[in-house]
Amino acid sequence: MMRRNKLYLLNVCFLCVLNLIYSKNYVLKNPYNKTITSELISAKNTINFKEVYSTNLTIPQLKENMTSNYKNEIPTQWGEKTTGVKTQINTTDKIIALTFDACGGSALSNGYDSELIYFLRKENIPATLFINSRWIDANYNAFMALTKIPQFEIENHGYLHKPLSVNGKSAYGIIGTQNIGEVVDEIILNEGQIEELTGRKPKYFRSGTAYYDELAVKIVNEIGEDAVNFNILGDAGATYTKKQVSTACLSAPPGSILIFHMNHPKKETAEGIMAAIPKLKMMGYKFVTLDNKNLSSYFSITKDYFY
């Protein structure tokens, strides 16, 4: 416990220094320090950076085009393994991609697991961080600090953390996007926010709850990102115990993409990862981000490893 407290304090000191650097610029330069509402979505449709990068259309024009293109198509799939969703790295090499979601939207979901991040930094473990717009708004200084750490790759976890549906399907009690226009908003608004703040356009998208229909995945691709899920459920929405998290990590075959959460510091995700990483290293595994990897859609894990 004493060692964990020391790690926590070191990471807090690191973030405090970066807070001094970024906090002065937040009010002046960051246009996102607002409550997320339909009015804000409307405003974001008109500010300068809101051009769609692959097509040079404004968001309203893109939504109109997408709606016209897909208005006669009806999705037949709904879930985490929808056609087109990438779930693992296409390799037999002993590499693993750790991915962490930061969801935001409530006091519970706006948390930041600084112990986990400090451990990854200390051990020089690369990781891909899927960050939601609401979490950025609630943790601007921490977000900006994370963008300055080279081993972390920042990717798109959506604007309002909704399942990605063209017709309003739900997952885990969370109502999804209602139509094609909302699908576009969910992807592009946070994409633009991340690029505005970091100078880098996200390459990968993960929807809230990791649920999609196949038309929504096509829209993700047309906007210029890949929809990425996982083949190993690492912490089940930060509900797993330390033992379950560790077991999930150690079950990963080569090329696995594991999903965890970095926004629940009171849960046991960090402890499980800390227990598993040394064992994975002894087994010969190396850790990578998703950037420039050959991703595939084969979903390989079908049994329950965790009980």
Side-chain angles (χ1 to χ4, degrees), residues 193-255:
Q193 179 167 4
I194 290 173
E195 183 172 33
E196 178 79 356
L197 296 176
T198 69
R200 174 187 175 274
K201 177 183 177 293
K203 296 180 179 180
Y204 304 111
F205 177 86
R206 178 176 289 157
S207 67
T209 74
Y211 268 62
Y212 313 75
D213 64 46
E214 73 273 24
L215 296 188
V217 175
K218 288 182 181 180
I219 293 170
V220 173
N221 296 153
E222 285 200 39
I223 287 174
E225 299 185 36
D226 281 324
V228 175
N229 274 358
F230 51 91
N231 67 314
I232 296 290
L233 189 63
D235 67 356
T239 64
Y240 278 171
T241 64
K242 171 183 174 180
K243 182 178 179 181
Q244 289 172 311
V245 172
S246 179
T247 302
C249 293
L250 296 175
S251 73

Side-chain angles (χ1 to χ4, degrees), residues 15-72:
L15 289 175
C16 285
V17 172
L18 287 169
N19 284 352
L20 292 174
I21 298 171
Y22 295 115
S23 59
K24 293 181 180 179
N25 295 328
Y26 183 36
V27 175
L28 295 176
K29 294 186 177 180
N30 178 26
Y32 309 101
N33 189 15
K34 304 177 183 179
T35 302
I36 294 174
T37 63
S38 59
E39 289 79 11
L40 178 55
I41 292 177
S42 178
K44 284 190 174 183
N45 283 335
T46 62
I47 62 180
N48 290 335
F49 80 92
K50 281 299 166 200
E51 287 190 349
V52 178
Y53 310 94
S54 58
T55 62
N56 291 324
L57 299 176
T58 64
I59 287 181
Q61 290 171 330
L62 177 66
K63 290 195 283 191
E64 182 179 350
N65 285 3
M66 292 288 188
T67 300
S68 176
N69 290 343
Y70 292 108
K71 64 183 179 181
N72 295 322

Side-chain angles (χ1 to χ4, degrees), residues 18-151:
L18 287 169
N19 284 352
L20 292 174
I21 298 171
Y22 295 115
S23 59
K24 293 181 180 179
N25 295 328
Y26 183 36
V27 175
L28 295 176
K29 294 186 177 180
N30 178 26
Y32 309 101
N33 189 15
K34 304 177 183 179
T35 302
I36 294 174
T37 63
S38 59
E39 289 79 11
L40 178 55
I41 292 177
S42 178
K44 284 190 174 183
N45 283 335
T46 62
I47 62 180
N48 290 335
F49 80 92
K50 281 299 166 200
E51 287 190 349
V52 178
Y53 310 94
S54 58
T55 62
N56 291 324
L57 299 176
T58 64
I59 287 181
Q61 290 171 330
L62 177 66
K63 290 195 283 191
E64 182 179 350
N65 285 3
M66 292 288 188
T67 300
S68 176
N69 290 343
Y70 292 108
K71 64 183 179 181
N72 295 322
E73 295 192 39
I74 300 174
T76 60
Q77 302 175 29
W78 180 241
E80 298 170 344
K81 297 178 279 185
T82 305
T83 298
V85 175
K86 308 301 184 182
T87 57
Q88 64 186 50
I89 302 169
N90 187 21
T91 184
T92 57
D93 294 340
K94 283 191 147 184
I95 60 173
I96 290 175
L98 306 181
T99 71
F100 296 88
D101 290 0
C103 307
S106 68
L108 180 63
S109 292
N110 284 338
Y112 173 55
D113 196 336
S114 58
E115 281 190 68
L116 169 65
I117 295 300
Y118 181 79
F119 173 79
L120 296 174
R121 289 179 55 237
K122 182 175 68 71
E123 296 295 322
N124 197 29
I125 304 294
T128 300
L129 313 181
F130 284 91
I131 311 292
N132 181 262
S133 177
R134 304 173 307 173
W135 194 90
I136 296 172
D137 290 340
N139 297 275
Y140 174 79
N141 294 316
F143 173 77
M144 293 305 296
L146 291 168
T147 69
K148 304 302 178 183
I149 302 173
Q151 73 204 65

